[in-house]
Amino acid sequence: MDNSGCRRRQRLVLFPIPFQGHINPMLQLANILHSNGFSITIIHTNFNSAYTSNYPHFTFRPILDNDPKVNNLSKLGSRGAGDILSGVVLLNQYGEESLRQELDQMLMASKQEQEPIVCLITDALWYFTQSVADSLKLPRIVLRTSSLLCFLVFASVPFLDDQGYFKQVNSLFDEEIIDSDLKNIILASDKNKFKKTGSVKSVKDLEERVLEIPVLKVKDISKMKIKGQTDPSAKILAKMVTQTKASSGIIWNSFKELEEPELEKIHKEFPIPSFLIGPFHKYFPASFSSLLEPDRSFITWLDEQAPNSVLYISFGSASQMEKQDFMEVANGLANSKQKFLWVMREGFVKGSEWVEGLPDGFLDLVGERGRIVKWAPQQEVLAHRSTGGFWTHSGWNSTLESICEGVPMICSPFWGDQPLNARFVSDVLKVGVYLENGWEREEIAGTIRRVMVEEESEDIRERAMCLKEKVNVSLMKGGSSYESLGSLVGYISSL
Ligand code: UDP
């Protein structure tokens, strides 16, 4: 859709969180809005800003970590979940003054250029930006890069904590306070063998559904790796939720048909305009905002494989795996006898540079029936006819990209929103299988065969293809995402 041409040009200022899974959707959104007639300025940190040269049609303004006096920001790291969290906290903590000065200058210049800045669009996790926008009387719209379900669950953390869910799961998983007998029962429960016994009467069955959010099982709460409302990450999420409520609207990288019940709840609990215009990457691919150079050397090999015969494996841009789990993954893959393309980032395995932890003989197998790369053009791989399955960490971008190509998933979430996405994909959409009992080679091999070749795979693939069709309809004229984009453009123009 292109509504440009008939309006006086207005400028939008967009501000992504500097991590791959957040940069991609923000830059895609920038392109969508640009093609609808808006001029775009991107505010960014120097940290993780390698993508900027690919967007000559945008203006880029570095802030926050370009001030050598602010030593704290030099602590920003790019590897691992902990670093992302501390990065988000650091940037939120030190950002206010720099952002206010930068926006103030931009607002003054825009008056002279006759191109008014009409709104600031920031990642929801940039919670500090709401007060800055308020002080400058600039409307702020939030981009939430994950699902509606995830946002609702994050918003419910205090409530779930008050209901005792975190106490239950924490007491189960806190190594300090559980005796070894109970720990064994818990470990067994994680393998679906949990039976309530006299000794754990007060413990809710981990397999039970959460009464208030029935999509989830009780054990999913622990897998978010939040320990309750006083946990530092829960505090970040609480601020994100409060400042989103205070904003002028929310843009979601999702589509109505995917999350209809969740949208109803969002309308009730967040009475500000919500725009579901996704999936964004259907308008513009993510590769331009890639922080790593995608390797395309395997494409000829992929071209030669039979339709739906290759399992694509990628655990996203930030997750890290323990060495022993990595061995289970490699052995499970070997035992599955399936072809594969495996994205293994440098530093993905804790304590290893790259592939040196692979079991003996695995690299021979790579020659015979697989390829390993450091970074892939993921959307192209998922759209390839030879790709028959996606073993994913269930990041929201990866989940949407798989849905859009009708590729069945194996879900192995690590933390945060990923376990929620995994549950949604397996239990609600039924377009994937949740490998929910950790990393164990025989279960891995069996699950790969279930999704790639066994009878069940036909049904999963059929449902995945149906969902792909729904996405396409939502993006067509008259479809929900198409219409919502029209509303968003109208809304921003009226601000
Ligand atoms: N990605 C990619 N090549 C790879 C692996 C991932 O281009 O080899 C992209 C993927 O297409 C997605 C993003 O990186 O757009 C990962 O985002 P997601 O939300 O799935 O996970 P995160 O990295 O934030 O955990």
Side-chain angles (χ1 to χ4, degrees), residues 20-22 24 286 290 312 314-319 343 374-379 393-399 401 418:
Q20 190 72 74
H22 293 258
N24 286 356
S290 203
Y312 170 62
S314 167
F315 299 122
S317 64
S319 52
V343 176
K374 291 181 180 170
W375 193 249
Q378 181 161 301
Q379 289 167 34
H393 71 309
S394 298
W396 187 241
N397 294 295
S398 296
T399 302
E401 289 161 15
Q418 298 157 11

Side-chain angles (χ1 to χ4, degrees), residues 48 55 68 91 115 204 273 280 286 291 327 331 372 433 471:
N48 274 351
Y55 297 89
L91 291 163
E115 197 183 47
K204 257 198 188 169
F280 297 173
L291 298 169
M327 288 296 276
N331 281 303
I372 293 180
V433 174
V471 180

Side-chain angles (χ1 to χ4, degrees), residues 131-350:
S131 63
V132 178
D134 287 345
S135 69
L136 296 169
K137 300 201 169 22
L138 185 64
R140 168 184 179 243
I141 295 181
V142 162
L143 166 63
R144 181 59 193 153
T145 58
S146 194
S147 67
L148 280 71
L149 170 69
C150 157
F151 196 79
L152 287 166
V153 174
F154 285 173
S156 305
V157 165
F159 172 77
L160 293 172
D161 199 0
D162 292 344
Q163 295 299 305
Y165 284 103
F166 285 95
K167 224 173 271 154
Q168 280 164 10
V169 292
N170 290 345
S171 67
L172 294 177
F173 288 97
D174 190 338
E175 315 230 331
E176 315 254 306
I177 59 168
I178 59 177
D179 64 37
S180 57
D181 270 1
L182 183 52
K183 206 151 90 191
N184 287 336
I185 294 169
I186 301 321
L187 290 175
S189 81
D190 224 21
K191 295 192 183 310
N192 286 333
K193 293 174 201 148
F194 183 61
K195 295 263 182 317
K196 278 186 187 173
T197 69
S199 62
V200 287
K201 253 192 194 126
S202 63
V203 175
K204 257 198 188 169
D205 190 330
L206 294 176
E207 296 297 326
E208 271 176 22
R209 297 280 161 182
V210 175
L211 201 63
E212 299 79 1
I213 310 174
V215 173
L216 300 186
K217 289 187 178 180
V218 172
K219 67 182 183 182
D220 298 335
I221 290 178
S222 73
K223 292 196 172 171
M224 293 192 287
K225 306 226 167 123
I226 299 171
K227 291 204 161 159
Q229 55 195 317
T230 54
D231 187 278
S233 47
K235 287 183 180 167
I236 296 177
L237 296 176
K239 287 179 190 164
M240 172 185 84
V241 170
T242 310
Q243 298 309 330
T244 296
K245 254 187 187 150
S247 76
S248 301
I250 320 176
I251 303 170
W252 303 91
N253 190 8
S254 188
F255 62 104
K256 186 177 157 216
E257 291 73 14
L258 192 67
E259 301 195 80
E260 219 146 2
E262 287 76 19
L263 180 59
E264 264 177 42
K265 276 198 185 153
I266 288 285
H267 280 322
K268 269 192 213 132
E269 291 174 27
F270 294 83
I272 49 173
S274 260
F275 304 94
L276 278 68
I277 64 169
F280 297 173
H281 74 278
K282 291 296 279 182
Y283 307 79
F284 294 97
S287 53
F288 288 130
S289 49
S290 203
L291 298 169
L292 299 169
E293 190 58 41
D295 181 345
R296 303 189 77 260
S297 60
F298 60 85
I299 294 282
T300 338
W301 172 83
L302 196 58
D303 289 343
E304 287 162 2
Q305 308 308 314
N308 296 332
S309 66
V310 176
L311 177 69
Y312 170 62
I313 307 163
S314 167
F315 299 122
S317 64
S319 52
Q320 280 191 297
M321 182 170 260
E322 300 292 341
K323 259 186 191 157
Q324 67 269 25
D325 297 335
F326 178 61
M327 288 296 276
E328 294 303 306
V329 169
N331 281 303
L333 194 52
N335 297 348
S336 76
K337 310 266 185 278
Q338 299 305 301
K339 299 206 166 162
F340 61 88
L341 169 66
W342 187 356
V343 176
M344 212 184 289
R345 281 176 291 110
E346 281 177 312
F348 169 64
V349 182
K350 287 185 188 164

